[in-house]
């Protein structure tokens, strides 16, 4: 490769790298701005979610769940899952009986 071609290739590579660095700099600026705004955004999201709930509590229309409430809910969910497991087992047994009652295709 001759020196002028080599310089032209290097100049082209430098120009592409500078363009990429500029784009990356803009992207990094956007990322930095987003990261700096993240705590404010999270705080705002939390307020938007909790404000109506606390408003209802303060108005006397609702209350926070107690540990006993959560334990009772867990017991209800456990009971419901146990009932569903029993029901699925019954359905499996019925399907097995139905499949056993179906005529079997002749084997070749």
């Amino acid at each position: 490769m001759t020196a002028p071609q080599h310089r032209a290739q290097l100049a082209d590579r430098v120009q592409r790298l500078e363009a990429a660095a500029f784009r990356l700099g803009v992207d990094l600026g956007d990322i930095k701005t987003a990261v700096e705004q993240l705590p404010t955004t999270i705080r705002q999201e939390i307020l938007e979610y909790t404000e109506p709930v606390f408003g209802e509590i303060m108005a006397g229309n609702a209350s926070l769940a107690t540990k006993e409430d959560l334990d009772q809910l867990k017991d209800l969910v456990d009971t419901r899952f146990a009932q569903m497991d029993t029901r699925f087992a019954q359905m499996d047994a019925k399907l097995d009986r139905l499949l056993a009652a179906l005529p079997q295709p002749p084997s070749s």
Side-chain angles (χ1 to χ4, degrees):
M1 186 179 301
T2 62
Q5 287 175 329
H6 185 65
R7 273 189 237 118
Q9 187 181 27
L10 282 176
D12 181 52
R13 289 179 68 196
V14 167
Q15 189 176 23
R16 283 187 283 141
L17 284 171
E18 286 174 342
F22 177 75
R23 282 193 310 274
L24 185 60
V26 170
D27 291 344
L28 288 177
D30 291 345
I31 291 170
K32 184 178 180 205
T33 301
V35 167
E36 289 171 352
Q37 291 175 351
L38 192 58
T40 304
T41 303
I42 292 171
R43 193 175 306 114
Q44 185 62 35
E45 296 258 338
I46 290 170
L47 285 174
E48 287 175 8
Y49 175 77
T50 58
E51 189 175 34
V53 173
F54 286 129
E56 288 294 311
I57 291 170
M58 296 302 286
N61 300 327
S63 65
L64 292 175
T66 64
K67 183 181 180 325
E68 291 78 20
D69 293 334
L70 296 176
D71 287 342
Q72 184 180 12
L73 180 61
K74 181 190 174 299
D75 292 342
L76 289 171
V77 169
D78 289 344
T79 301
R80 183 67 176 147
F81 276 118
Q83 291 171 345
M84 293 303 294
D85 287 342
T86 302
R87 184 77 177 134
F88 283 132
Q90 291 171 348
M91 290 174 64
D92 280 342
K94 284 181 183 178
L95 285 173
D96 288 341
R97 285 194 302 273
L98 286 172
L99 287 173
L102 288 175
Q104 299 298 320
S107 53
S108 328

